[in-house]
Amino acid sequence: MDSVSLNGERSSLMSREQNGVVSQISSPKSGGREIIIRSKSLVNEEVDLEDGKVEKDRVKSTSGTKQLKIYNQALLSGLAYCMSSCSMILVNKFVLSSYDFNAGISLMLYQNFVSVVVVSILSWLGIITTESLTWRLIRVWLPVNIIFVGMLITSMFSLKYINVAMVTILKNVTNVMTALGEMYLFGKQHDHKVWAALSLMIVSAVSGGITDLSFHAIGYTWQIINCFLTASYSLTLRRVMDTAKLATKSGNLNEFSMVLLNNVLSLPLGVILIFVFNEVDYLSQTPLLRMPMFWLVITLSGFLGLSISFTSMWFLHQTGATTYSLVGSLNKIPLSVAGILLFKVPTSLENFLSILFGLLAGIFFANAKITQKS
């Protein structure tokens, strides 16, 4: 859930990278962290940000200034979102592959810890508002959080073995699983353009795997599990969000609260999984933890994971679901190219064409969803 591609993919706003369509809630980001929420429509009597319109009774000169400010913020927020999203996946790939760090769960745990610290400080300073974490709210949210943790961990495992470009393409499978889940669980029907786009995604994923010169069966297995968990998170979140709002004191659950809730609950689960997967012995022996530069890089990855949440919300509020969806799909193109060039991935013409085909299928899918809604 990607862009979810899918902490590459890391608060409740994970849809940005995975399917590029906010209302679906999905692609990582991807390996990446994918942050998943429902898009919220802005209720603002002064400005219609998607259409660039301002209040009718404003003076024209003021209107022009206001529009210029909005467009600049939209561009700035869009660039910030794209940079943080791409950087998160590339940094995770760098830590897991270039540093050869074999403790993906520990990396996820540390990144989530950084997010908890930063959000808590911002809330304490009054910059953002978050809901109190009551036992009632935790009990409601815990099933979703278990899926969330599984999604992040499998993303880490797959990114260690698979190159960034193929992870991005394989995340398209999440869209197919989500669409099928919507049809069987919610009775939602999709038009022929959507199904055509989904079929193209499947073809690109299969052809990409066949022509992948660095094919790794374990990595592909983890990525398929990640797609299933990402789709499950997306579908489960829709059912739980309304119930979770009733469990809060204010009757509301904003995005910052969901970021804090997901990351706080992931900490004890992460500690348990570190012992289950026996990462403690590896951590006690690896020399990486004695390298200041390594700590700097993984701390940066934690800040990047959190920045995806903030820049996604900022960009969505400055534009709208349509622009957000298209940019989320287009963002996979530079990410795939950067992944191939930076990590010197061996590729063939057939594999490159499969990747390009999958990226175009993702854009076609986003456009088909937008057309269906309108």
Side-chain angles (χ1 to χ4, degrees):
M1 68 85 148
D2 101 8
S3 208
V4 141
S5 137
L6 349 133
N7 269 333
E9 312 164 83
R10 148 123 155 93
S11 68
S12 34
L13 247 135
M14 242 172 173
S15 69
R16 65 195 190 285
E17 292 298 330
Q18 299 166 357
N19 30 22
V21 180
V22 179
S23 62
Q24 271 199 325
I25 312 179
S26 158
S27 188
K29 158 32 313 35
S30 104
R33 305 284 195 120
E34 292 141 329
I35 305 165
I36 305 177
I37 62 162
R38 284 182 184 167
S39 65
K40 291 188 176 182
S41 57
L42 292 179
V43 181
N44 190 324
E45 294 178 359
E46 265 188 27
V47 185
D48 180 347
L49 296 175
E50 185 67 35
D51 297 329
K53 296 177 182 178
V54 294
E55 195 175 323
K56 290 182 179 180
D57 53 354
R58 284 195 180 248
V59 183
K60 288 186 178 180
S61 59
T62 306
S63 173
T65 304
K66 186 69 175 178
Q67 285 184 356
L68 179 61
K69 181 179 179 181
I70 291 170
Y71 294 148
N72 288 340
Q73 285 195 14
L75 178 61
L76 182 61
S77 61
L79 290 174
Y81 162 66
C82 292
M83 290 179 63
S84 61
S85 177
C86 291
S87 299
M88 178 67 195
I89 296 178
L90 295 175
V91 169
N92 276 348
K93 179 65 176 178
F94 179 73
V95 172
L96 295 169
S97 297
S98 299
Y99 273 110
D100 196 24
F101 187 62
N102 293 319
I105 300 175
S106 301
L107 178 60
M108 179 273 298
L109 182 66
Y110 183 73
Q111 290 174 341
N112 290 6
F113 174 74
V114 171
S115 296
V116 170
V117 172
V118 174
V119 172
S120 299
I121 292 175
L122 293 177
S123 179
W124 180 69
L125 294 175
I127 298 176
I128 62 175
T129 58
T130 57
E131 292 291 329
S132 301
L133 303 184
T134 62
W135 282 112
R136 183 185 176 192
L137 179 59
I138 291 174
R139 285 196 301 269
V140 172
W141 199 265
L142 187 58
V144 178
N145 186 257
I146 292 174
I147 301 175
F148 172 74
V149 172
M151 180 180 65
L152 297 183
I153 292 174
T154 53
S155 177
M156 291 287 187
F157 288 165
S158 67
L159 195 60
K160 179 174 177 59
Y161 298 105
I162 309 177
N163 66 74
V164 173
M166 281 309 304
V167 167
T168 303
I169 299 307
L170 292 173
K171 281 185 178 294
N172 284 337
V173 178
T174 302
N175 296 328
V176 180
M177 295 181 177
T178 303
L180 293 173
E182 288 177 330
M183 186 173 65
Y184 286 105
L185 295 177
F186 304 111
K188 184 174 181 180
Q189 300 298 321
H190 303 286
D191 61 24
H192 64 281
K193 290 184 178 180
V194 172
W195 287 115
L198 293 174
S199 300
L200 293 176
M201 289 179 176
I202 295 175
V203 172
S204 67
V206 173
S207 61
I210 294 174
T211 58
D212 187 4
L213 298 181
S214 57
F215 178 86
H216 199 292
I218 296 177
Y220 273 71
T221 301
W222 281 120
Q223 185 55 50
I224 294 300
I225 297 174
N226 174 259
C227 292
F228 175 77
L229 290 174
T230 302
S232 301
Y233 180 81
S234 171
L235 297 169
T236 306
L237 186 64
R238 298 188 182 191
R239 293 179 176 272
V240 173
M241 282 182 67
D242 293 335
T243 306
K245 289 179 181 179
L246 299 177
T248 61
K249 294 181 179 179
S250 65
N252 189 29
L253 190 66
N254 61 26
E255 293 87 350
F256 298 109
S257 298
M258 287 189 281
V259 172
L260 183 62
L261 187 59
N262 259 336
N263 288 283
V264 166
L265 294 182
S266 71
L267 298 182
L269 290 175
V271 172
I272 294 173
L273 290 172
I274 285 176
F275 285 95
V276 171
F277 283 82
N278 197 28
E279 289 188 357
V280 177
D281 291 340
Y282 172 79
L283 293 174
S284 63
Q285 297 174 7
T286 179
L288 291 174
L289 298 184
R290 294 188 289 273
M291 296 172 56
M293 182 57 66
F294 178 76
W295 282 102
L296 178 63
V297 172
I298 62 175
T299 302
L300 173 63
S301 71
F303 278 99
L304 286 173
L306 188 59
S307 71
I308 296 175
S309 305
F310 295 143
T311 56
S312 294
M313 288 184 285
W314 182 25
F315 184 41
L316 181 61
H317 288 181
Q318 291 299 323
T319 54
T322 303
T323 306
Y324 183 93
S325 301
L326 291 175
V327 171
S329 297
L330 292 170
N331 193 36
K332 294 179 180 180
I333 297 177
L335 175 61
S336 299
V337 174
I340 293 175
L341 297 178
L342 291 177
F343 298 101
K344 299 178 181 179
V345 177
T347 185
S348 62
L349 178 60
E350 294 82 1
N351 185 246
F352 180 78
L353 292 176
S354 298
I355 293 171
L356 180 61
F357 185 66
L359 295 173
L360 295 176
I363 298 173
F364 180 45
F365 175 76
N367 183 68
K369 290 294 293 182
I370 294 168
T371 303
Q372 178 178 265
K373 289 178 184 178
S374 59

